[in-house]
Amino acid sequence: MNWFPRRVRMLTLALVVALLLPIFVHSPYALHVMVLLGIWVVLAESLNFVTGFAGQLALGHAAFVTLGGYAGALLMVNNGWPFWPALLIGGGTGFATGLILGLMALRLRGDYLGMVTLGFGEIVRLLAVNLVDITRGPMGVPGIPRPVIFGYKFHGELPFFYLILVLIVFTHMSIERMLFSRFGRACLAIRDDEIAAQAMGVKPYRYKVLAFCISSAYAGLMGVFYCSWATFFSPDAFKLDDSIMLSVMITLGGIGSLVGAIPGAIGIGALPELLRPFTTGARVASLRLAGVGLVMVVFLILRPQGIAGMSIAKDYISLEPLRRLFVRGSDSKPEKT
Amino acid sequence: MSSEFIIQQLISGVAIGLAYALIAIGYSMVYGILKFINFGHGAVYMVGTYVAYFVWRYLNQSMAVWPSFLLAALIAVAGAAVFGVVMEKVAYKPTRGRSRLTTFMSSVGVSLMVTFGMEFLVGPEPRPTPSLFPGVRFEIGGAVLTGMQIFMFGVALTLLVALQWFVHRTQAGRSIRACSEDMGAASLMGVNIDNAISITFAIGSALGAVAGILIGIYYSAVYPTMGWAAGIKGFIAAVTGGIGSIPGAMLGGLLLGMAENLGAGFLSSGYRDAIAFTVLILVMLFRPSGIFAREQRSSL
């Protein structure tokens, strides 16, 4: 046994580089982009937990960010709560709403689950837009306070950069711990072969719902982080495009590869910044989404195992079950109708 | 609420519901044969509508409204059919034989690429369309029926009946049904599977374009993201009626159109789409094989 395996070395190196980055990068704009990329990394890793490891396609991740974000934002603005308890409430909101949707939707499989979670996401967005009395509708919630820690009030981008690094490490390590627990093994077993898992005494529905709730809890947490960072929250902050974008990130990174979600999230998340020199304004958004669609189709045709298939994650989670899921999946047998 | 109000909402619901049924056919037939949800269908719907819009506007400079409309619609429908077939060959065929989730994600990619490629080219703002029946309206018991609504009933019902005939009475239709029954066996019996799949995509896309043109003129708005909501509603209609069945798609579309319009009338028009998604979740929860399906499937 290697006490300091390659994957840990790589990640530790990446973390040290990230910690030292603010010494070299001073522009608030660059730091702002890096915080945003950090948010994408946490969201992609948490979505990867339910899609990559429990094998359930969910296209409503943005809805839980919205729900958690509103819960936190309204408590902080209307009731004067400080940031930290609001952060926990955001996570709790994600978990609770994930439980409600999960109990209903996880009886379905595959693309049907994708469509139902997508529909749920739209319902949440429309409620946020229309329940003007509670959410202030499309005008959004302004003036959300920033976090205060030991009397130090967050100011500028730098503290948020370090906070998001802490959250990334927390997310990554907690997901990794769960994966190697009984619960994680059960999820992987369900993904690889639900019937075989059932025969081994694993209750698929129960584990799928639990995986879904946990993944949603991270999303709710990020909603509170985002609203305090932006000091503003609206129904348009996270919507359908973002849910789809997250599944593109994990698809490109390598579905079911814990490390793969990181380059996937950074690559797709940085795309609008990379496109900015070529075009301006609203067209950046259109071009980005169109480009992402193209990349996704090309990847799915040529390289369904994602980027991680080729390099850093080789010795991480075995790629074999993943290849079976997405290349010649255990669910590729024609369904009985 | 007065009864006139309810009748009025039902009339609009039936008109829009029949258009949803036309979209639903595209999902239903593709699902029947390839067993995956073609998320790119909404994009085809949008492309067809834009082609019709631009050709119509161009021809209208030198021709009268109706001849230029019919010509533009014909070109757009043919264009959408070709587009649908090309989409299948380029993006879906290479993923055949893998998990159907791969194909689904590929169709999500196609949808993003086409929708936002169009938004990049023409801009996001909605464009108003010319009217086909300016000022034509009939009063029935206090409710108003417009010429456009009658036109939508006529076109949609004709096409649905024609499709039912095509699928059940022609050689090509028989090969499509054979493939959705058992693709391997159909292949052994000499059915050209690639052709059957292409025909399926061509028909679904053509009907999607017809629906797009009708809805575009009905709401007098054409915009690049129109395919999102319409596509998802077509899917909901297909699922509600029982995916894979043509009469089911029609009933599903009608039910969805009426539910949506009544709900929008009683609550607020802001909830129109939310009602459609609620219908989806309810159907998936209680009757995942569709309200009108005869047998219950064990799992989806």
Side-chain angles (χ1 to χ4, degrees):
Chain A
M1 276 299 281
N2 192 346
W3 63 276
F4 197 52
R6 191 159 143 255
R7 61 187 165 83
V8 181
R9 277 200 305 255
M10 293 291 292
L11 288 173
T12 316
L13 187 68
L15 184 64
V16 170
V17 170
L19 280 171
L20 296 179
L21 215 50
I23 300 178
F24 308 104
V25 181
H26 296 290
S27 100
Y29 171 72
L31 277 172
H32 184 88
V33 172
M34 288 197 290
V35 176
L36 196 62
L37 292 181
I39 295 176
W40 284 121
V41 168
V42 174
L43 291 177
E45 286 212 355
S46 59
L47 181 66
N48 200 19
F49 186 64
V50 73
T51 302
F53 299 121
Q56 306 302 312
L57 179 70
L59 292 176
H61 213 52
F64 299 108
V65 185
T66 304
L67 286 163
Y70 267 108
L74 294 173
L75 280 175
M76 286 192 278
V77 171
N78 295 347
N79 303 25
W81 280 41
F83 173 78
W84 305 102
L87 189 67
L88 290 181
I89 293 289
T93 310
F95 190 91
T97 46
L99 182 67
I100 296 169
L101 179 63
L103 284 173
M104 294 198 296
L106 283 163
R107 294 172 197 282
L108 306 166
R109 286 194 201 150
D111 33 14
Y112 277 87
L113 177 65
M115 293 303 274
V116 166
T117 46
L118 187 152
F120 172 79
E122 280 299 279
I123 292 177
V124 167
R125 189 181 66 82
L126 290 164
L127 285 177
V129 170
N130 285 297
L131 292 175
V132 180
D133 295 340
I134 306 172
T135 64
R136 295 172 43 92
M139 294 173 307
V141 184
I144 298 164
R146 304 203 128 182
V148 179
I149 187 162
F150 302 126
Y152 168 72
K153 190 169 185 300
F154 275 35
H155 175 75
E157 301 286 348
L158 201 56
F160 282 100
F161 178 74
Y162 284 114
L163 179 58
I164 193 77
L165 278 184
V166 171
L167 286 172
I168 290 174
V169 172
F170 164 71
T171 309
H172 191 90
M173 291 184 72
S174 55
I175 288 180
E176 187 183 329
R177 283 299 95 209
M178 278 191 281
L179 270 179
F180 292 111
S181 71
R182 182 190 154 74
F183 165 58
R185 300 270 182 222
C187 286
L188 291 173
I190 292 164
R191 176 193 73 178
D192 289 346
D193 191 332
E194 196 166 323
I195 295 165
Q198 233 164 343
M200 293 297 159
V202 171
K203 300 230 182 325
Y205 180 59
R206 192 180 294 172
Y207 281 105
K208 283 195 263 184
V209 171
L210 190 55
F212 192 76
C213 296
I214 291 175
S215 150
S216 310
Y218 289 107
L221 214 66
M222 289 322 290
V224 183
F225 175 86
Y226 176 89
C227 77
S228 178
W229 172 58
T231 69
F232 177 75
F233 204 68
S234 76
D236 284 337
F238 286 89
K239 46 184 198 287
L240 178 58
D241 318 350
D242 301 296
S243 294
I244 294 177
M245 211 52 65
L246 282 166
S247 31
V248 178
M249 287 169 184
I250 59 171
T251 310
L252 297 194
I255 296 246
S257 155
L258 187 52
V259 189
I262 300 174
I266 292 177
I268 298 293
L271 210 56
E273 310 310 322
L274 298 177
L275 288 173
R276 222 173 277 282
F278 302 106
T279 165
T280 52
R283 299 218 150 176
V284 175
S286 322
L287 193 61
R288 168 194 179 218
L289 289 161
V292 165
L294 178 69
V295 171
M296 177 149 163
V297 175
V298 170
F299 250 77
L300 283 171
I301 293 171
L302 300 180
R303 196 169 182 87
Q305 67 270 47
I307 317 171
M310 37 189 161
S311 59
I312 44 174
K314 273 256 168 71
D315 54 349
Y316 202 58
I317 297 291
S318 157
L319 287 168
E320 205 37 48
L322 160 182
R323 196 165 292 133
R324 264 189 282 138
L325 174 76
F326 260 76
V327 184
R328 269 175 245 301
S330 49
D331 62 338
S332 71
K333 279 169 259 146
E335 239 108 308
K336 298 264 185 305
T337 44
Chain B
M1 289 292 166
S2 64
S3 63
E4 286 90 35
F5 176 77
I6 293 175
I7 294 172
Q8 185 69 63
Q9 295 297 330
L10 286 178
I11 290 175
S12 337
V14 170
I16 206 78
L18 282 170
Y20 290 159
L22 290 179
I23 309 172
I25 298 293
Y27 286 103
S28 233
M29 289 181 68
V30 168
Y31 193 90
I33 201 161
L34 288 177
K35 307 281 180 281
F36 89 99
I37 300 168
N38 175 16
F39 203 81
H41 191 51
V44 177
Y45 159 99
M46 179 274 298
V47 169
T49 316
Y50 262 99
V51 172
Y53 171 80
F54 283 119
V55 175
W56 188 12
R57 218 177 54 170
Y58 175 73
L59 292 177
N60 207 0
Q61 292 164 349
S62 51
M63 292 162 81
V65 174
W66 271 93
S68 61
F69 167 73
L70 292 175
L71 198 58
L74 210 62
I75 292 172
V77 168
V82 173
F83 186 78
V85 172
V86 171
M87 176 174 78
E88 192 272 326
K89 293 267 183 251
V90 174
Y92 305 156
K93 200 179 166 192
T95 65
R96 221 183 275 167
R98 295 191 199 147
S99 156
R100 57 187 188 139
L101 275 189
T102 310
T103 319
F104 175 70
M105 290 311 282
S106 182
S107 75
V108 172
V110 167
S111 166
L112 281 179
M113 185 168 76
V114 175
T115 305
F116 292 99
M118 183 63 95
E119 190 175 277
F120 180 70
L121 291 177
V122 302
E125 59 283 338
R127 296 157 186 264
T129 64
S131 177
L132 275 180
F133 299 93
V136 181
R137 42 202 288 130
F138 307 93
E139 295 243 351
I140 302 168
V144 178
L145 186 64
T146 66
M148 189 61 206
Q149 285 169 336
I150 298 174
F151 183 64
M152 284 168 89
F153 299 151
V155 171
L157 283 176
T158 315
L159 286 175
L160 289 169
V161 171
L163 181 69
Q164 185 76 354
W165 172 83
F166 174 82
V167 169
H168 286 277
R169 293 278 178 276
T170 64
Q171 190 66 35
R174 196 167 298 128
S175 70
I176 291 175
R177 280 187 297 137
C179 283
S180 44
E181 199 80 23
D182 186 332
M183 206 178 268
S187 171
L188 290 175
M189 297 298 142
V191 173
N192 185 333
I193 291 179
D194 285 336
N195 278 355
I197 292 174
S198 293
I199 295 171
T200 307
F201 270 88
I203 294 174
S205 306
L207 293 181
V210 172
I213 296 167
L214 291 176
I215 293 180
I217 298 173
Y218 186 65
Y219 288 134
S220 187
V222 181
Y223 50 97
T225 46
M226 66 190 289
W228 281 117
I232 294 168
K233 284 176 191 173
F235 168 75
I236 299 173
V239 174
T240 308
I243 203 149
S245 125
I246 296 169
M250 194 179 100
L251 291 172
L254 285 175
L255 194 79
L256 179 66
M258 289 192 286
E260 202 181 272
N261 268 284
L262 284 178
F266 283 115
L267 285 167
S268 138
S269 59
Y271 287 116
R272 181 181 291 274
D273 293 352
I275 289 159
F277 291 119
T278 312
V279 169
L280 171 69
I281 292 179
L282 291 179
V283 169
M284 290 274 103
L285 268 183
F286 297 110
R287 285 209 58 123
S289 53
I291 293 181
F292 305 106
R294 257 184 242 109
E295 56 188 278
Q296 196 78 14
R297 254 177 298 167
S298 59
S299 62
L300 285 169

